[in-house]
Amino acid sequence: MNKSEHIDPFKKVRSEIGHEEIDDHGDPVTMILRHKDVRKVAHNWRCFSSDAPGRIPVPSEVNIRTTRQIPFEVDPPDHTHYRRIVEPIFKRPLHKEFKEQLKNQIEALIKFATQKKSIEVISEFSLPLQSKALTLLLNMPPEEAELWIGWGTHVFRGEGDTLDRNKASILYDYIDKQMDIAIVEPSDNFFSTLLNSEYKGRKLTREEVKGIAMLTFAGGRDTVINLVSNTLAYIAEHPDILREIKKDSGLIPVATEEFIRYFSPLTHMGRVVKEDSEICHHMARNNTRVSLCWASANRDENVFEDADTVKVNRKINPHMAFGFGTHNCLGATHTRQIMQTLLSLLTQHISSIVFLSGKENIEQWGRFSRKVGYNTLNLEFIG
Ligand code: EMZ
């Protein structure tokens, strides 16, 4: 087996049963595993609600926060109003100037990597890339990234990947401080823009801005870092990919979607059941939780031919790595832009990448062990 491969741990249970009961700190969760069921449940926000601060992520974050993340933990119709406010910020990566700046950031990282004998990808490439790219999204000075890099790959998780309230409070204090600054010195950055935004005829409250900021800092962090690291490791072991996309740059957006499907950086996301409901012949009781397992749905053999193979020219790719329906990922435009820029620059500056060593990051969900990325990954970039 190649070291960059990601095995689908859900295959057998998905095809035989379709769901699996797991325990999340004493709060049971039914993981939904089939593509068609995940779609159905994601679509049905009335029965499978997001209106439960801290209880929507799996593992649950009720012990580390009371602030509702917005729009992530809000159901329609309010969700629609919030989404309208934040959408323009998250579409900024489509602007020409944004693309140019992002290209410069990634190019500098690739040049740095080629000048060294080897790099540790998480700390020297993916984490800095994620934080620098976030300064562009939030319209903040590039130096701010240095502080964010210091928070590591997850803002809520400390040693051993456990949720850590003390660590989380670093982010909460930072957001409070940024809001204080924005009130005294208004600008066109993320915090100022939100504090001046109108929600149903009034200004957003500090608590609402805090909820949006928390989602922005926590949500697209480890996921983007894993996606970038996994892609680099995979390209190292599959040199044909770089050759193929070099020959036909039209494949870059297609290959991007395929990497996102194959790695599915976010394993699953929860919902709270609003009334006793049946999913795949399984009864889900009111006020219990289900999870939409994007990672399993994205390997469903009834939808994807050769689901376990990365095909950089896959024609039909209805993956749900960015979720599905009302709550589809706000950061998807930014992530796609990062990946497409990265792939394009690799074809220009790199002839090959050598896989030196990696320590895998494995998540455990009941009896499923899933590789999500690497804790450390050493690669050599050859220019
Ligand atoms: C939440 C979540 C959002 C959660 C789309 O994902 O990402 C997780 O990493 C965070 O811990 O709070 O933002």
Side-chain angles (χ1 to χ4, degrees):
M1 188 188 101
N2 282 327
K3 297 186 282 288
S4 60
E5 208 164 318
H6 288 236
I7 302 234
D8 168 21
F10 308 109
K11 195 183 283 295
K12 192 162 180 285
V13 183
R14 179 178 58 242
S15 78
E16 289 175 2
I17 307 169
H19 56 88
E20 172 85 346
E21 197 81 19
I22 60 163
D23 172 69
D24 178 15
H25 302 87
D27 189 6
V29 177
T30 303
M31 296 179 78
I32 320 263
L33 303 174
R34 292 180 183 149
H35 193 279
K36 71 171 186 343
D37 295 325
V38 172
R39 264 175 80 119
K40 228 192 285 173
V41 173
H43 188 68
N44 186 357
W45 54 265
R46 285 177 211 274
C47 284
F48 302 100
S49 166
S50 294
D51 178 13
R55 231 177 141 210
I56 299 309
V58 188
S60 162
E61 294 175 353
V62 288
N63 292 328
I64 59 153
R65 65 178 166 92
T66 50
T67 297
R68 181 192 296 274
Q69 290 189 3
I70 297 175
F72 168 58
E73 292 171 333
V74 183
D75 283 336
D78 287 350
H79 173 272
T80 319
H81 296 286
Y82 285 123
R83 185 89 190 204
R84 216 170 279 146
I85 296 174
V86 292
E87 202 86 51
I89 300 179
F90 286 87
K91 291 283 182 230
R92 296 185 63 236
L94 297 175
H95 298 169
K96 192 165 167 257
E97 197 190 331
F98 191 110
K99 289 186 186 172
E100 195 57 36
Q101 288 173 329
L102 182 63
K103 178 174 166 264
N104 292 341
Q105 288 181 342
I106 301 181
E107 201 156 43
L109 283 163
I110 293 178
K111 287 209 170 124
F112 164 80
T114 48
Q115 278 155 15
K116 294 193 48 165
K117 179 78 195 92
S118 71
I119 61 160
E120 196 290 292
V121 172
I122 317 301
S123 59
E124 296 186 286
F125 197 95
S126 316
L127 171 59
L129 165 50
Q130 188 277 336
S131 291
K132 285 171 199 242
L134 189 60
T135 65
L136 300 179
L137 193 71
L138 306 195
N139 209 11
M140 293 183 73
E143 310 78 66
E144 205 64 15
E146 298 310 321
L147 179 69
W148 305 344
I149 290 168
W151 298 341
T153 46
H154 204 292
V155 285
F156 294 151
R157 295 190 199 147
E159 281 298 303
D161 266 358
T162 43
L163 291 166
D164 178 342
R165 199 193 306 233
N166 293 332
K167 178 157 187 198
S169 64
I170 299 175
L171 173 66
Y172 305 160
D173 293 347
Y174 175 81
I175 295 171
D176 276 328
K177 194 177 116 210
Q178 288 302 323
M179 289 195 288
D180 292 341
I181 296 173
I183 289 164
V184 184
E185 299 165 36
S187 70
D188 52 4
N189 79 12
F190 177 79
F191 295 95
S192 267
T193 306
L194 288 177
L195 285 167
N196 284 310
S197 295
E198 291 268 324
Y199 172 77
K200 298 209 269 188
R202 58 154 175 88
K203 288 252 156 52
L204 283 177
T205 64
R206 274 182 80 109
E207 181 68 5
E208 287 168 326
V209 174
K210 194 170 184 170
I212 298 170
M214 257 186 216
L215 173 64
T216 305
F217 277 96
R221 194 176 180 90
D222 52 329
T223 42
V224 169
I225 294 166
N226 285 332
L227 177 63
V228 168
S229 312
N230 293 344
T231 301
L232 292 171
Y234 199 87
I235 287 177
E237 290 196 316
H238 302 83
D240 288 1
I241 292 183
L242 221 45
R243 277 197 286 277
E244 257 180 82
I245 57 178
K246 209 176 245 185
K247 252 194 291 166
D248 178 5
S249 64
L251 280 180
I252 289 177
V254 185
T256 292
E257 295 311 308
E258 178 65 347
F259 280 129
I260 292 171
R261 177 193 73 86
Y262 181 75
F263 297 126
S264 290
L266 182 68
T267 302
H268 56 171
M269 191 49 82
R271 294 288 188 268
V272 175
V273 180
K274 279 285 151 173
E275 52 195 70
D276 291 355
S277 314
E278 197 184 318
I279 350 150
C280 39
H281 310 296
H282 168 83
M283 271 315 290
R285 298 257 164 246
N286 187 21
N287 201 30
T288 59
R289 292 155 83 211
V290 298
S291 89
L292 310 167
C293 189
W294 320 117
S296 168
N298 288 343
R299 296 291 182 97
D300 193 327
E301 40 289 288
N302 291 317
V303 177
F304 302 99
E305 210 184 296
D306 295 330
D308 294 329
T309 309
V310 174
K311 293 182 174 181
V312 290
N313 58 356
R314 188 180 288 278
K315 302 260 166 349
I316 300 161
N317 194 350
H319 74 74
M320 294 191 280
F322 290 123
F324 178 77
T326 320
H327 286 280
N328 67 60
C329 178
L330 254 183
T333 308
H334 195 215
T335 307
R336 289 188 162 115
Q337 209 57 53
I338 290 174
M339 279 290 285
Q340 293 181 17
T341 311
L342 173 67
L343 291 177
S344 156
L345 289 169
L346 288 175
T347 63
Q348 292 166 39
H349 297 290
I350 298 293
S351 58
S352 62
I353 302 177
V354 183
F355 193 118
L356 300 173
S357 61
K359 191 170 169 296
E360 296 184 347
N361 178 1
I362 310 282
E363 287 181 352
Q364 195 67 40
W365 304 106
R367 52 184 167 147
F368 303 125
S369 302
R370 174 168 197 256
K371 172 178 167 185
V372 283
Y374 301 86
N375 290 323
T376 55
L377 172 67
N378 294 294
L379 299 179
E380 181 185 353
F381 280 53
I382 301 175

PDB file of all heavy atoms in Angstrom, residues 69-92:
ATOM      1  N   GLN A  69     -22.306  29.348  16.703  1.00  0.00           N
ATOM      2  CA  GLN A  69     -21.584  29.685  15.477  1.00  0.00           C
ATOM      3  C   GLN A  69     -22.609  29.975  14.380  1.00  0.00           C
ATOM      4  O   GLN A  69     -23.566  29.221  14.192  1.00  0.00           O
ATOM      5  CB  GLN A  69     -20.653  28.548  15.064  1.00  0.00           C
ATOM      6  CG  GLN A  69     -19.475  28.394  16.022  1.00  0.00           C
ATOM      7  CD  GLN A  69     -18.416  27.432  15.522  1.00  0.00           C
ATOM      8  OE1 GLN A  69     -18.502  26.884  14.413  1.00  0.00           O
ATOM      9  NE2 GLN A  69     -17.402  27.217  16.332  1.00  0.00           N
ATOM     10  N   ILE A  70     -22.353  31.097  13.679  1.00  0.00           N
ATOM     11  CA  ILE A  70     -23.318  31.608  12.691  1.00  0.00           C
ATOM     12  C   ILE A  70     -22.644  31.683  11.317  1.00  0.00           C
ATOM     13  O   ILE A  70     -21.503  32.118  11.245  1.00  0.00           O
ATOM     14  CB  ILE A  70     -23.792  33.028  13.109  1.00  0.00           C
ATOM     15  CG1 ILE A  70     -24.541  32.951  14.449  1.00  0.00           C
ATOM     16  CG2 ILE A  70     -24.659  33.678  12.058  1.00  0.00           C
ATOM     17  CD1 ILE A  70     -24.936  34.303  15.017  1.00  0.00           C
ATOM     18  N   PRO A  71     -23.336  31.279  10.251  1.00  0.00           N
ATOM     19  CA  PRO A  71     -24.709  30.762  10.133  1.00  0.00           C
ATOM     20  C   PRO A  71     -24.835  29.255  10.360  1.00  0.00           C
ATOM     21  O   PRO A  71     -25.937  28.694  10.247  1.00  0.00           O
ATOM     22  CB  PRO A  71     -25.086  31.107   8.678  1.00  0.00           C
ATOM     23  CG  PRO A  71     -23.811  31.268   7.946  1.00  0.00           C
ATOM     24  CD  PRO A  71     -22.737  31.587   8.916  1.00  0.00           C
ATOM     25  N   PHE A  72     -23.727  28.641  10.713  1.00  0.00           N
ATOM     26  CA  PHE A  72     -23.616  27.182  10.826  1.00  0.00           C
ATOM     27  C   PHE A  72     -24.632  26.540  11.794  1.00  0.00           C
ATOM     28  O   PHE A  72     -25.164  25.468  11.509  1.00  0.00           O
ATOM     29  CB  PHE A  72     -22.160  26.943  11.256  1.00  0.00           C
ATOM     30  CG  PHE A  72     -21.763  25.612  11.712  1.00  0.00           C
ATOM     31  CD1 PHE A  72     -21.911  24.508  10.892  1.00  0.00           C
ATOM     32  CD2 PHE A  72     -21.184  25.438  12.969  1.00  0.00           C
ATOM     33  CE1 PHE A  72     -21.478  23.268  11.316  1.00  0.00           C
ATOM     34  CE2 PHE A  72     -20.749  24.214  13.389  1.00  0.00           C
ATOM     35  CZ  PHE A  72     -20.902  23.124  12.564  1.00  0.00           C
ATOM     36  N   GLU A  73     -24.928  27.209  12.916  1.00  0.00           N
ATOM     37  CA  GLU A  73     -25.830  26.597  13.898  1.00  0.00           C
ATOM     38  C   GLU A  73     -27.189  27.330  13.962  1.00  0.00           C
ATOM     39  O   GLU A  73     -27.753  27.545  15.028  1.00  0.00           O
ATOM     40  CB  GLU A  73     -25.146  26.537  15.269  1.00  0.00           C
ATOM     41  CG  GLU A  73     -23.979  25.533  15.249  1.00  0.00           C
ATOM     42  CD  GLU A  73     -23.090  25.552  16.475  1.00  0.00           C
ATOM     43  OE1 GLU A  73     -22.975  26.597  17.147  1.00  0.00           O
ATOM     44  OE2 GLU A  73     -22.467  24.508  16.756  1.00  0.00           O
ATOM     45  N   VAL A  74     -27.662  27.719  12.790  1.00  0.00           N
ATOM     46  CA  VAL A  74     -28.944  28.420  12.668  1.00  0.00           C
ATOM     47  C   VAL A  74     -29.738  27.747  11.543  1.00  0.00           C
ATOM     48  O   VAL A  74     -29.169  27.407  10.503  1.00  0.00           O
ATOM     49  CB  VAL A  74     -28.719  29.916  12.292  1.00  0.00           C
ATOM     50  CG1 VAL A  74     -30.037  30.670  12.236  1.00  0.00           C
ATOM     51  CG2 VAL A  74     -27.736  30.581  13.238  1.00  0.00           C
ATOM     52  N   ASP A  75     -31.033  27.567  11.737  1.00  0.00           N
ATOM     53  CA  ASP A  75     -31.893  27.009  10.676  1.00  0.00           C
ATOM     54  C   ASP A  75     -32.516  28.148   9.862  1.00  0.00           C
ATOM     55  O   ASP A  75     -32.610  29.276  10.352  1.00  0.00           O
ATOM     56  CB  ASP A  75     -33.050  26.216  11.309  1.00  0.00           C
ATOM     57  CG  ASP A  75     -32.616  24.853  11.822  1.00  0.00           C
ATOM     58  OD1 ASP A  75     -31.612  24.322  11.331  1.00  0.00           O
ATOM     59  OD2 ASP A  75     -33.302  24.331  12.734  1.00  0.00           O
ATOM     60  N   PRO A  76     -32.979  27.855   8.644  1.00  0.00           N
ATOM     61  CA  PRO A  76     -33.780  28.851   7.932  1.00  0.00           C
ATOM     62  C   PRO A  76     -35.044  29.175   8.747  1.00  0.00           C
ATOM     63  O   PRO A  76     -35.465  28.314   9.524  1.00  0.00           O
ATOM     64  CB  PRO A  76     -34.164  28.130   6.633  1.00  0.00           C
ATOM     65  CG  PRO A  76     -33.174  27.014   6.494  1.00  0.00           C
ATOM     66  CD  PRO A  76     -32.805  26.620   7.884  1.00  0.00           C
ATOM     67  N   PRO A  77     -35.668  30.333   8.634  1.00  0.00           N
ATOM     68  CA  PRO A  77     -35.306  31.397   7.673  1.00  0.00           C
ATOM     69  C   PRO A  77     -34.167  32.316   8.167  1.00  0.00           C
ATOM     70  O   PRO A  77     -33.572  33.005   7.352  1.00  0.00           O
ATOM     71  CB  PRO A  77     -36.601  32.195   7.545  1.00  0.00           C
ATOM     72  CG  PRO A  77     -37.298  32.012   8.854  1.00  0.00           C
ATOM     73  CD  PRO A  77     -36.928  30.645   9.349  1.00  0.00           C
ATOM     74  N   ASP A  78     -33.853  32.320   9.475  1.00  0.00           N
ATOM     75  CA  ASP A  78     -32.798  33.236   9.947  1.00  0.00           C
ATOM     76  C   ASP A  78     -31.455  32.936   9.271  1.00  0.00           C
ATOM     77  O   ASP A  78     -30.681  33.841   8.969  1.00  0.00           O
ATOM     78  CB  ASP A  78     -32.643  33.137  11.471  1.00  0.00           C
ATOM     79  CG  ASP A  78     -33.809  33.787  12.192  1.00  0.00           C
ATOM     80  OD1 ASP A  78     -34.606  34.466  11.504  1.00  0.00           O
ATOM     81  OD2 ASP A  78     -33.936  33.610  13.417  1.00  0.00           O
ATOM     82  N   HIS A  79     -31.217  31.648   9.056  1.00  0.00           N
ATOM     83  CA  HIS A  79     -29.973  31.248   8.390  1.00  0.00           C
ATOM     84  C   HIS A  79     -29.773  32.018   7.080  1.00  0.00           C
ATOM     85  O   HIS A  79     -28.684  32.491   6.772  1.00  0.00           O
ATOM     86  CB  HIS A  79     -30.005  29.737   8.120  1.00  0.00           C
ATOM     87  CG  HIS A  79     -28.864  29.258   7.287  1.00  0.00           C
ATOM     88  ND1 HIS A  79     -28.903  29.232   5.913  1.00  0.00           N
ATOM     89  CD2 HIS A  79     -27.630  28.839   7.632  1.00  0.00           C
ATOM     90  CE1 HIS A  79     -27.747  28.789   5.447  1.00  0.00           C
ATOM     91  NE2 HIS A  79     -26.958  28.543   6.471  1.00  0.00           N
ATOM     92  N   THR A  80     -30.867  32.148   6.323  1.00  0.00           N
ATOM     93  CA  THR A  80     -30.801  32.812   5.016  1.00  0.00           C
ATOM     94  C   THR A  80     -30.372  34.265   5.171  1.00  0.00           C
ATOM     95  O   THR A  80     -29.579  34.775   4.377  1.00  0.00           O
ATOM     96  CB  THR A  80     -32.192  32.748   4.330  1.00  0.00           C
ATOM     97  OG1 THR A  80     -32.726  31.455   4.559  1.00  0.00           O
ATOM     98  CG2 THR A  80     -32.116  33.054   2.862  1.00  0.00           C
ATOM     99  N   HIS A  81     -30.889  34.948   6.206  1.00  0.00           N
ATOM    100  CA  HIS A  81     -30.533  36.357   6.436  1.00  0.00           C
ATOM    101  C   HIS A  81     -29.054  36.488   6.800  1.00  0.00           C
ATOM    102  O   HIS A  81     -28.352  37.358   6.307  1.00  0.00           O
ATOM    103  CB  HIS A  81     -31.390  36.946   7.559  1.00  0.00           C
ATOM    104  CG  HIS A  81     -32.845  37.002   7.224  1.00  0.00           C
ATOM    105  ND1 HIS A  81     -33.365  37.924   6.340  1.00  0.00           N
ATOM    106  CD2 HIS A  81     -33.888  36.257   7.637  1.00  0.00           C
ATOM    107  CE1 HIS A  81     -34.678  37.727   6.239  1.00  0.00           C
ATOM    108  NE2 HIS A  81     -35.010  36.728   7.018  1.00  0.00           N
ATOM    109  N   TYR A  82     -28.589  35.641   7.686  1.00  0.00           N
ATOM    110  CA  TYR A  82     -27.165  35.694   8.072  1.00  0.00           C
ATOM    111  C   TYR A  82     -26.269  35.376   6.879  1.00  0.00           C
ATOM    112  O   TYR A  82     -25.241  35.998   6.658  1.00  0.00           O
ATOM    113  CB  TYR A  82     -26.865  34.676   9.175  1.00  0.00           C
ATOM    114  CG  TYR A  82     -27.361  35.060  10.543  1.00  0.00           C
ATOM    115  CD1 TYR A  82     -28.233  34.237  11.246  1.00  0.00           C
ATOM    116  CD2 TYR A  82     -26.928  36.238  11.165  1.00  0.00           C
ATOM    117  CE1 TYR A  82     -28.669  34.565  12.520  1.00  0.00           C
ATOM    118  CE2 TYR A  82     -27.362  36.572  12.444  1.00  0.00           C
ATOM    119  CZ  TYR A  82     -28.235  35.730  13.114  1.00  0.00           C
ATOM    120  OH  TYR A  82     -28.667  36.057  14.370  1.00  0.00           O
ATOM    121  N   ARG A  83     -26.674  34.384   6.149  1.00  0.00           N
ATOM    122  CA  ARG A  83     -25.866  33.917   5.029  1.00  0.00           C
ATOM    123  C   ARG A  83     -25.682  35.055   4.008  1.00  0.00           C
ATOM    124  O   ARG A  83     -24.610  35.233   3.444  1.00  0.00           O
ATOM    125  CB  ARG A  83     -26.578  32.706   4.405  1.00  0.00           C
ATOM    126  CG  ARG A  83     -25.851  32.015   3.314  1.00  0.00           C
ATOM    127  CD  ARG A  83     -24.927  30.924   3.797  1.00  0.00           C
ATOM    128  NE  ARG A  83     -24.109  30.478   2.687  1.00  0.00           N
ATOM    129  CZ  ARG A  83     -23.524  29.300   2.584  1.00  0.00           C
ATOM    130  NH1 ARG A  83     -23.599  28.431   3.551  1.00  0.00           N
ATOM    131  NH2 ARG A  83     -22.806  28.993   1.536  1.00  0.00           N
ATOM    132  N   ARG A  84     -26.748  35.827   3.823  1.00  0.00           N
ATOM    133  CA  ARG A  84     -26.697  36.952   2.880  1.00  0.00           C
ATOM    134  C   ARG A  84     -25.651  37.981   3.330  1.00  0.00           C
ATOM    135  O   ARG A  84     -24.995  38.607   2.510  1.00  0.00           O
ATOM    136  CB  ARG A  84     -28.074  37.593   2.788  1.00  0.00           C
ATOM    137  CG  ARG A  84     -28.406  38.091   1.406  1.00  0.00           C
ATOM    138  CD  ARG A  84     -29.866  38.496   1.298  1.00  0.00           C
ATOM    139  NE  ARG A  84     -30.764  37.384   1.085  1.00  0.00           N
ATOM    140  CZ  ARG A  84     -32.008  37.308   1.579  1.00  0.00           C
ATOM    141  NH1 ARG A  84     -32.498  38.269   2.338  1.00  0.00           N
ATOM    142  NH2 ARG A  84     -32.761  36.255   1.325  1.00  0.00           N
ATOM    143  N   ILE A  85     -25.481  38.136   4.622  1.00  0.00           N
ATOM    144  CA  ILE A  85     -24.508  39.113   5.136  1.00  0.00           C
ATOM    145  C   ILE A  85     -23.081  38.630   4.891  1.00  0.00           C
ATOM    146  O   ILE A  85     -22.214  39.385   4.466  1.00  0.00           O
ATOM    147  CB  ILE A  85     -24.710  39.327   6.661  1.00  0.00           C
ATOM    148  CG1 ILE A  85     -26.082  39.937   6.934  1.00  0.00           C
ATOM    149  CG2 ILE A  85     -23.587  40.183   7.249  1.00  0.00           C
ATOM    150  CD1 ILE A  85     -26.421  40.060   8.416  1.00  0.00           C
ATOM    151  N   VAL A  86     -22.822  37.354   5.152  1.00  0.00           N
ATOM    152  CA  VAL A  86     -21.434  36.880   5.092  1.00  0.00           C
ATOM    153  C   VAL A  86     -20.988  36.453   3.695  1.00  0.00           C
ATOM    154  O   VAL A  86     -19.793  36.448   3.398  1.00  0.00           O
ATOM    155  CB  VAL A  86     -21.191  35.715   6.093  1.00  0.00           C
ATOM    156  CG1 VAL A  86     -21.284  36.219   7.516  1.00  0.00           C
ATOM    157  CG2 VAL A  86     -22.161  34.561   5.880  1.00  0.00           C
ATOM    158  N   GLU A  87     -21.939  36.126   2.854  1.00  0.00           N
ATOM    159  CA  GLU A  87     -21.615  35.612   1.515  1.00  0.00           C
ATOM    160  C   GLU A  87     -20.600  36.491   0.759  1.00  0.00           C
ATOM    161  O   GLU A  87     -19.618  35.961   0.224  1.00  0.00           O
ATOM    162  CB  GLU A  87     -22.905  35.448   0.704  1.00  0.00           C
ATOM    163  CG  GLU A  87     -22.820  34.479  -0.445  1.00  0.00           C
ATOM    164  CD  GLU A  87     -23.097  33.033  -0.027  1.00  0.00           C
ATOM    165  OE1 GLU A  87     -24.115  32.758   0.635  1.00  0.00           O
ATOM    166  OE2 GLU A  87     -22.267  32.191  -0.388  1.00  0.00           O
ATOM    167  N   PRO A  88     -20.802  37.828   0.687  1.00  0.00           N
ATOM    168  CA  PRO A  88     -19.857  38.639  -0.094  1.00  0.00           C
ATOM    169  C   PRO A  88     -18.414  38.519   0.412  1.00  0.00           C
ATOM    170  O   PRO A  88     -17.466  38.536  -0.373  1.00  0.00           O
ATOM    171  CB  PRO A  88     -20.360  40.083   0.095  1.00  0.00           C
ATOM    172  CG  PRO A  88     -21.762  39.965   0.577  1.00  0.00           C
ATOM    173  CD  PRO A  88     -21.889  38.636   1.257  1.00  0.00           C
ATOM    174  N   ILE A  89     -18.237  38.370   1.719  1.00  0.00           N
ATOM    175  CA  ILE A  89     -16.879  38.226   2.269  1.00  0.00           C
ATOM    176  C   ILE A  89     -16.252  36.927   1.754  1.00  0.00           C
ATOM    177  O   ILE A  89     -15.106  36.896   1.317  1.00  0.00           O
ATOM    178  CB  ILE A  89     -16.913  38.205   3.819  1.00  0.00           C
ATOM    179  CG1 ILE A  89     -17.516  39.508   4.350  1.00  0.00           C
ATOM    180  CG2 ILE A  89     -15.530  37.921   4.402  1.00  0.00           C
ATOM    181  CD1 ILE A  89     -17.623  39.583   5.873  1.00  0.00           C
ATOM    182  N   PHE A  90     -17.047  35.872   1.766  1.00  0.00           N
ATOM    183  CA  PHE A  90     -16.510  34.558   1.398  1.00  0.00           C
ATOM    184  C   PHE A  90     -16.422  34.347  -0.112  1.00  0.00           C
ATOM    185  O   PHE A  90     -15.896  33.336  -0.568  1.00  0.00           O
ATOM    186  CB  PHE A  90     -17.321  33.453   2.092  1.00  0.00           C
ATOM    187  CG  PHE A  90     -17.008  33.377   3.557  1.00  0.00           C
ATOM    188  CD1 PHE A  90     -17.674  34.165   4.479  1.00  0.00           C
ATOM    189  CD2 PHE A  90     -15.991  32.553   4.015  1.00  0.00           C
ATOM    190  CE1 PHE A  90     -17.360  34.119   5.831  1.00  0.00           C
ATOM    191  CE2 PHE A  90     -15.657  32.498   5.363  1.00  0.00           C
ATOM    192  CZ  PHE A  90     -16.344  33.289   6.275  1.00  0.00           C
ATOM    193  N   LYS A  91     -16.931  35.310  -0.879  1.00  0.00           N
ATOM    194  CA  LYS A  91     -16.788  35.238  -2.344  1.00  0.00           C
ATOM    195  C   LYS A  91     -15.605  36.083  -2.814  1.00  0.00           C
ATOM    196  O   LYS A  91     -15.302  36.130  -4.008  1.00  0.00           O
ATOM    197  CB  LYS A  91     -18.072  35.730  -3.043  1.00  0.00           C
ATOM    198  CG  LYS A  91     -19.270  34.814  -2.869  1.00  0.00           C
ATOM    199  CD  LYS A  91     -19.178  33.599  -3.777  1.00  0.00           C
ATOM    200  CE  LYS A  91     -20.398  32.711  -3.646  1.00  0.00           C
ATOM    201  NZ  LYS A  91     -20.099  31.301  -3.428  1.00  0.00           N
ATOM    202  N   ARG A  92     -14.936  36.774  -1.894  1.00  0.00           N
ATOM    203  CA  ARG A  92     -13.813  37.636  -2.285  1.00  0.00           C
ATOM    204  C   ARG A  92     -12.724  36.885  -3.064  1.00  0.00           C
ATOM    205  O   ARG A  92     -12.083  37.463  -3.939  1.00  0.00           O
ATOM    206  CB  ARG A  92     -13.212  38.336  -1.050  1.00  0.00           C
ATOM    207  CG  ARG A  92     -14.207  39.299  -0.390  1.00  0.00           C
ATOM    208  CD  ARG A  92     -13.589  40.084   0.751  1.00  0.00           C
ATOM    209  NE  ARG A  92     -12.525  40.925   0.274  1.00  0.00           N
ATOM    210  CZ  ARG A  92     -11.280  40.900   0.733  1.00  0.00           C
ATOM    211  NH1 ARG A  92     -10.959  40.096   1.718  1.00  0.00           N
ATOM    212  NH2 ARG A  92     -10.369  41.675   0.239  1.00  0.00           N
TER     213      ARG A  92
END
